[in-house]
Amino acid sequence: MGEKNRMTTVVFFTDIQILHKALSFFPLQKFAGKSVPVKLHMGEKWNHYYVKPELVKIVIDELKKAEAMPYLFDTTVAYQGSRHTKTDYQNLAKLHGFTLKNIGCDVVIDDSGISTLVEGRSYEVADHLKDATSIFALSHVKGHIQTGMGGAIKNFGMGGVTKETKIKIHDGSYPIYEKDACTYCGVCAKACPFHALKVSKDSWVYNEKACFGCGACVDACPAKALHYQDTDLQYLLACAAKACVQGKTVVYLNELKRIAKGCDCDPNAGPVICPDIGYLVSDDPVAIDKATLDVIDKVAPNVFEKTNKIDPMKQIRYGEEIGLGSASYHLITV
Ligand code: SF4
Ligand code: SF4
């Protein structure tokens, strides 16, 4: 895991057939003889953009060549849908082609976890992640309504923890309003991507049902009349990601293809907002997500902020602040 200001390595490549070359920069030999969860969001039903089984198979084969014992891994989600229970998720995995025959390993889904303290808060890390000493992270890069972009940090920060912790992270970032401080300027209503706020001369109306806890209103309010229930969702995500990966050997692969406006959790995640770019590999979640933003920026400047009205850099800054990794990286192209 990286430390603040440590220069980490990120490898960029466009042809998945040379994945072995990209991985050669990282300590895959440490995976030998170990059970290695390959952490992947397998896509909500009807979503079209998630990482496909063909790519998973290539990753699994590389891990087997390194004499690891990989298995595909994810956690159940808090909302009703096709990944709510372990059985639901196993059925969905089959539907999306993640079968032993297609990918060459088992699929394991966790629904429980172990409390882990990071920066004074407790996060329930999924049992299999907690037990693992080595992890491979396979993350599909996409837009996200609460974090601007979802990559490696989000794959663990939301995807590596239990339902209870997922709910806690979501609930912690809803706004609290202080009437006495409000000047009714309307800045928060303009900043809200979901039209959950209506401000007029002397009224401030909040539609909790329309709110996604993205924090854009809290950040925008010039009078500091809005506060988080707990704190910024992107801070909690970075902390939860650290709870999942701290003290472990983790190699991260980000797929920069089919980059849609919304998350793989969203059945209607489209449209695609950036051309296909390729892949990045690193052993640092902050560096790989920062490199992801930088590489995408060259092709589609500020695309996540323009599309989702949320600053995706917050998770990077928080990640550095809490020692999850380093945003300073050295990019190698193979
Ligand atoms: S931005 Fe702040 S001060 Fe302005 S209306 Fe919203 S809550 Fe009130
Ligand atoms: S947290 Fe986000 S979605 Fe909720 S009211 Fe504020 S800006 Fe709107």
Side-chain angles (χ1 to χ4, degrees):
M1 189 175 16
E3 294 148 22
K4 196 172 181 182
N5 299 327
R6 179 172 79 99
M7 185 67 83
T8 47
T9 298
V10 180
V11 178
F12 173 71
F13 60 109
T14 54
D15 179 1
I16 196 62
Q17 299 306 329
I18 61 160
L19 174 63
H20 61 282
K21 221 170 160 182
L23 291 175
S24 69
F25 291 84
F26 303 100
L28 228 57
Q29 70 280 2
K30 288 194 183 171
F31 288 11
K34 299 197 176 126
S35 254
V36 177
V38 175
K39 171 67 186 74
L40 175 74
H41 186 317
M42 288 170 241
E44 190 57 57
K45 198 171 179 182
W46 310 119
N47 179 285
H48 301 298
Y49 306 113
Y50 58 91
V51 172
K52 304 300 176 196
E54 294 74 20
L55 175 53
V56 174
K57 170 84 166 68
I58 292 168
V59 168
I60 297 295
D61 287 349
E62 285 303 323
L63 292 173
K64 285 182 180 169
K65 275 187 221 157
E67 296 180 5
M69 294 170 287
Y71 60 91
L72 196 57
F73 176 77
D74 204 7
T75 59
T76 53
V77 298
Y79 52 84
Q80 295 299 327
S82 55
R83 298 180 303 134
H84 186 64
T85 67
K86 284 163 84 162
T87 309
D88 291 342
Y89 205 149
Q90 287 286 1
N91 289 336
L92 187 275
K94 272 189 212 128
L95 185 75
H96 283 183
F98 299 106
T99 60
L100 180 62
K101 187 168 166 242
N102 288 347
I103 61 171
C105 70
D106 289 330
V107 176
V108 173
I109 307 296
D110 265 354
D111 192 43
S112 59
I114 296 163
S115 175
T116 306
L117 206 63
V118 170
E119 303 288 317
R121 288 181 181 82
S122 166
Y123 303 87
E124 282 182 356
V125 173
D127 293 329
H128 282 78
L129 291 183
K130 191 73 182 172
D131 286 349
T133 55
S134 303
I135 301 171
F136 195 95
L138 189 40
S139 311
H140 175 231
V141 172
K142 63 269 170 178
H144 195 274
I145 54 175
Q146 288 150 311
T147 60
M149 178 201 79
I153 295 173
K154 184 149 188 313
N155 193 5
F156 286 100
M158 192 57 75
V161 294
T162 62
K163 283 176 184 149
E164 290 70 24
T165 294
K166 286 178 170 94
I167 292 168
K168 215 164 93 178
I169 292 174
H170 275 291
D171 287 356
S173 58
Y174 283 81
I176 293 179
Y177 172 61
E178 269 184 49
K179 191 176 187 309
D180 290 349
C182 182
T183 60
Y184 305 100
C185 66
V187 169
C188 54
K190 282 198 194 101
C192 178
F194 305 103
H195 311 291
L197 298 170
K198 276 203 175 68
V199 181
S200 60
K201 212 168 73 171
D202 53 5
S203 96
W204 185 91
V205 180
Y206 170 54
N207 178 359
E208 195 178 342
K209 283 194 184 134
C211 175
F212 280 86
C214 69
C217 56
V218 180
D219 289 349
C221 174
K224 307 246 173 288
L226 296 173
H227 306 279
Y228 292 108
Q229 299 266 358
D230 179 4
T231 188
D232 193 332
L233 179 122
Q234 297 204 49
Y235 175 79
L236 295 172
L237 275 186
C239 290
K242 188 176 176 189
C244 294
V245 301
Q246 62 187 354
K248 299 170 191 296
T249 303
V250 188
V251 175
Y252 303 84
L253 167 58
N254 278 8
E255 186 188 33
L256 283 63
K257 294 197 166 185
R258 307 175 306 286
I259 301 167
K261 177 181 189 292
C263 183
D264 295 350
C265 310
D266 188 346
N268 303 302
V272 168
I273 55 173
C274 174
D276 285 355
I277 296 175
Y279 308 91
L280 292 167
V281 179
S282 183
D283 59 354
D284 184 317
V286 177
I288 197 168
D289 279 359
K290 175 67 165 65
T292 294
L293 284 171
D294 292 343
V295 169
I296 290 174
D297 229 33
K298 290 201 179 107
V299 180
N302 286 325
V303 68
F304 296 114
E305 234 174 319
K306 278 185 205 153
T307 311
N308 290 322
K309 290 170 90 183
I310 305 290
D311 177 10
M313 268 300 292
K314 286 208 284 181
Q315 57 197 298
I316 312 285
R317 288 193 291 267
Y318 287 134
E320 272 213 302
E321 191 183 303
I322 62 161
L324 172 63
S326 168
S328 306
Y329 65 91
H330 167 57
L331 190 70
I332 298 170
T333 301
V334 293

